[in-house]
Amino acid sequence: MPQKKIVIEPDPILRKKSKPVEKVDDELRRLLDDMLETMYAAPGIGLAAVQVGILKRLIVIDISKDEDKKEPLFLINPKIISKSQQTSTYEEGCLSLPGHFAEIERPAECEINFIDYNGKKKEIKADGLLSTCIQHEVDHLDGVLFIDYLSKLKKDMIIKKLVKHKKELNKIVL
Ligand code: K2U
Ligand code: ZN
């Protein structure tokens, strides 16, 4: 399955709201498989469809550390239905903001409902890194990036560096 190109910030598509999926069929499963392959190759532990330029409410996640014991999660039309009062802080990164990391505080636990790879409705509770990753990815589906939780100064500095990074990349490609 072909890996897909990851959209790098700043890019207007990363600020758009993704649309719900109407039908879970083989074509959608092929897209989910391509997203998962793209995520593993990056490497990353999560990826939202908008990060490969597709405005559908689709997320793939795999926080398993063991290369041989992959445990992918496919989230179709995920909806966060509850978040804990208690918070936790993780150093977050993002494949669309390569090389930038920041400590981000989020609700420690969350509960989501979604449709799975086979079209079945599911509901799970998450804590730890999985909870953080789910919230990070659902943010993507609503056009929100982790840098939006930083001070304007820090956010503008990261975007300025990414603009320079993209110019350098374009020089190499052209
Ligand atoms: O949106 C993304 O690019 C997914 C992030 C996943 C992530 C979300 C929250 C906290 C940490 C990571 C990418 O996988 S970033 C790459 C990465 C991988 C492992 C740990 C930290 C960052
Ligand atoms: Zn991200």
Side-chain angles (χ1 to χ4, degrees):
M1 284 146 287
Q3 288 173 31
K4 295 183 170 298
K5 187 169 178 294
I6 294 177
V7 176
I8 303 295
E9 172 70 352
D11 188 307
I13 197 170
L14 292 172
R15 295 309 186 169
K16 291 188 184 303
K17 191 171 176 59
S18 297
K19 292 186 171 36
V21 164
E22 306 292 330
K23 193 169 62 165
V24 180
D25 57 14
D26 287 346
E27 186 184 345
L28 188 80
R29 280 185 277 268
R30 269 194 299 278
L31 170 56
L32 288 165
D33 293 342
D34 291 350
M35 284 174 61
L36 191 66
E37 186 181 339
T38 303
M39 184 196 82
Y40 283 139
I45 59 173
L47 188 72
V50 62
Q51 292 181 274
V52 291
I54 296 169
L55 286 171
K56 291 180 192 273
R57 299 188 80 79
L58 297 172
I59 291 168
V60 295
I61 289 175
D62 190 340
I63 61 167
S64 59
K65 294 204 176 17
D66 186 344
E67 270 288 304
D68 307 329
K69 255 180 55 202
K70 292 182 175 168
E71 294 165 20
L73 251 183
F74 299 95
L75 306 179
I76 302 169
N77 298 343
K79 186 171 172 15
I80 296 177
I81 53 176
S82 74
K83 294 180 186 178
S84 62
Q85 285 284 330
Q86 193 198 353
T87 62
S88 60
T89 301
Y90 274 89
E91 185 179 50
E92 297 192 15
C94 184
L95 297 175
S96 294
L97 293 91
H100 297 281
F101 298 86
E103 299 277 317
I104 305 293
E105 185 180 15
R106 296 183 189 265
E109 297 173 2
C110 67
E111 193 170 6
I112 58 165
N113 61 33
F114 60 97
I115 299 167
D116 73 5
Y117 191 84
N118 300 307
K120 271 186 73 183
K121 285 185 180 162
K122 289 280 180 74
E123 203 162 285
I124 59 170
K125 279 188 180 171
D127 60 8
L129 179 57
L130 180 59
S131 173
T132 284
C133 195
I134 286 172
Q135 293 175 70
H136 176 111
E137 300 310 332
V138 171
D139 269 354
H140 271 300
L141 303 184
D142 295 323
V144 174
L145 299 174
F146 78 89
I147 54 171
D148 298 341
Y149 298 99
L150 303 177
S151 67
K152 185 176 181 325
L153 187 69
K154 281 186 184 165
K155 176 177 171 180
D156 290 350
M157 192 184 69
I158 289 174
I159 290 174
K160 201 170 157 197
K161 285 181 178 171
L162 287 165
V163 167
K164 193 163 173 281
H165 171 79
K166 285 181 87 169
K167 278 190 186 136
E168 296 304 316
L169 282 181
N170 288 338
K171 271 189 213 151
I172 299 164
V173 169
L174 293 178

